[in-house]
Amino acid sequence: MTDARKPTVGLIGLGMMGQGMGSNLLRNGFTLAVTAHRDRTGADRLSREGATVVDTLRAVAEASEVVILCVPGSPQVERIVMGTDGLLSAGQSGLTLIDCSTSEPSSTERVAAAVIAAGGHFVDAPLARTPVEAEAGRLNTMVGAEPETFAAIRPVLEAFCENIFHIGPIGAGHKLKLVNNFLAMGQASLIAEAFEACSAVGVPLDRLFEVISAGGANSGIFQMVAGAAKDGNLDGMRFGIANAAKDLGYYTRMTDAVPLTGGLGHAVRRALVEARNLGFGDALVGHLIAAQARLNGRTPMARTGS
C-alpha cells in the first residue's frame, strides 16, 4: 500500500450490501474500482458516485492495492481469486484481499494460502447487520487477520463499519460468522415454529409478540421477524432463506469436522432446507413461518412488505 490510510480499493460484489459499502468508501475519500455483473445497477450507481468501472477481475486487481469481495459464498470467492482470469492472474505482489463474504473456513484456508504464496495479504472480514446499515456505514465485521495486516486495513473497514472486531488469525472471522448465523437462524426457526403453534392453538399473534417483547426471550432477531410478521409482513428481516441454508451447511460441515455431537445446527439447517424445497428459497427468512404452515397443512401467511 502506498498510503496505509487511503489505499486504492477494488470492490467485487455489488448487491444490496456491496452498493452501500462502495458508496461509503467513496464518501470517505477512497479511490474505488468496480466491475459490472450481468445486472449493471450497482456498477452504474457507483460510477455516478465516482467509481471507475473496469471490464475484468484482472483489471480490478491492477487498479487496486486492496480488493474487497462481497459475494454469495466460497465457490464464487475461489473462482474470483484463483480462476484462470481471476485476481491472482494480475500478478500484483502486495495485493491485500479482504473477503467480506460468508465463506467456508476450509475454503478460506485454501484461498488465503494462494494469496500469500503470490506475495499478498489475506483478511477474512464477514459482515453482520443488513443493507440498511450498509447504506449508513454502520455494518459490523468480525476480522481474521495477522495483527499488522489488521492495523493496515482498519481504515478501509471503518469507511463502512460501525463495529470492527479483531477475532484472531486468518479464518477466525469466518468461523465466528458461521456461529453468529447459526444463532440468528436458530432464533428465526424457533420464531417460525412458535408462530405456527400459536396460530394452530388459537393464541393471537399480537399477544405473543407483546409477551415475548417484555421478557427474557426477546431479541433483535425476534423484533425484526416477529414485529413485522404479527401484522402479516414476512419480510421484516432482510436475509434470504437460500443464503441462510448455505451458511448453515457451512456451519454443520465445520462442526462435523471437529467433530461435535450437537445436533441443533443440523435441525436449523433442515428447517431452512425444507423451506427452500417447498419453494421459499428466494424468499426472506420470515417466510419460514409460511413454510411451517404449509408443512402442517395450513394456509400460509401470504402478505409481504412493500
Side-chain angles (χ1 to χ4, degrees):
M1 299 180 194
T2 57
D3 181 343
R5 190 178 61 84
K6 286 284 190 295
T8 55
V9 178
L11 176 60
I12 299 170
L14 304 181
M16 292 187 294
M17 295 285 273
Q19 289 182 48
M21 293 159 63
S23 186
N24 278 286
L25 284 162
L26 291 165
R27 283 199 292 269
N28 280 276
F30 287 91
T31 300
L32 184 66
V34 301
T35 187
H37 195 252
R38 288 184 297 273
D39 180 354
R40 293 190 57 90
T41 303
D44 290 343
R45 171 194 167 177
L46 293 177
S47 176
R48 291 192 298 270
E49 295 180 11
T52 299
V53 181
V54 298
D55 292 333
T56 65
L57 298 172
R58 180 178 182 133
V60 173
E62 291 171 342
S64 308
E65 295 164 284
V66 175
V67 176
I68 300 170
L69 305 185
C70 187
V71 297
S74 289
Q76 293 81 11
V77 171
E78 292 194 11
R79 177 184 58 78
I80 288 166
V81 177
M82 300 185 295
T84 303
D85 299 312
L87 296 173
L88 295 184
S89 70
Q92 294 284 97
S93 181
L95 183 70
T96 297
L97 178 70
I98 304 176
D99 183 11
C100 289
S101 317
T102 299
S103 296
E104 188 163 14
S106 59
S107 173
T108 298
E109 292 177 3
R110 292 192 296 272
V111 174
V115 171
I116 292 167
H121 308 278
F122 183 89
V123 176
D124 49 298
L127 304 167
R129 295 185 167 169
T130 72
V132 173
E133 287 80 24
E135 288 290 342
R138 297 182 57 246
L139 293 169
N140 291 343
T141 185
M142 51 216 83
V143 182
E146 298 306 317
E148 300 83 2
T149 306
F150 174 69
I153 59 90
R154 184 173 185 124
V156 178
L157 298 175
E158 287 175 340
F160 53 86
C161 291
E162 179 178 32
N163 297 302
I164 300 169
F165 303 97
H166 186 199
I167 306 305
I170 291 170
H174 279 150
K175 291 172 184 175
L176 182 53
K177 171 62 172 174
L178 295 181
V179 174
N180 177 86
N181 282 18
F182 161 58
L183 284 168
M185 293 305 103
Q187 290 178 66
S189 300
L190 286 171
I191 292 163
E193 192 163 325
F195 260 63
E196 174 61 7
C198 284
S199 296
V201 301
V203 173
L205 297 179
D206 58 345
R207 305 307 287 173
L208 168 71
F209 181 77
E210 182 180 10
V211 169
I212 299 302
S213 294
N218 190 30
S219 68
I221 300 294
F222 181 79
Q223 291 299 314
M224 278 190 283
V225 176
K230 68 180 173 56
D231 298 321
N233 178 358
L234 301 182
D235 288 349
M237 185 177 180
R238 307 296 294 175
F239 190 60
I241 286 174
N243 259 345
K246 180 267 296 181
D247 291 352
L248 265 292
Y250 289 175
Y251 172 80
T252 53
R253 283 198 292 270
M254 178 180 75
T255 55
D256 285 348
V258 176
L260 297 179
T261 59
L264 290 177
H266 287 280
V268 175
R269 179 178 179 272
R270 184 170 64 249
L272 293 161
V273 170
E274 283 176 342
R276 185 189 66 194
N277 291 348
L278 285 170
F280 295 100
D282 293 332
L284 300 177
V285 293
H287 289 258
L288 288 171
I289 296 170
Q292 280 292 313
R294 186 168 294 172
L295 285 167
N296 286 286
R298 292 163 47 81
T299 301
M301 297 168 64
R303 193 172 74 80
T304 62
S306 58

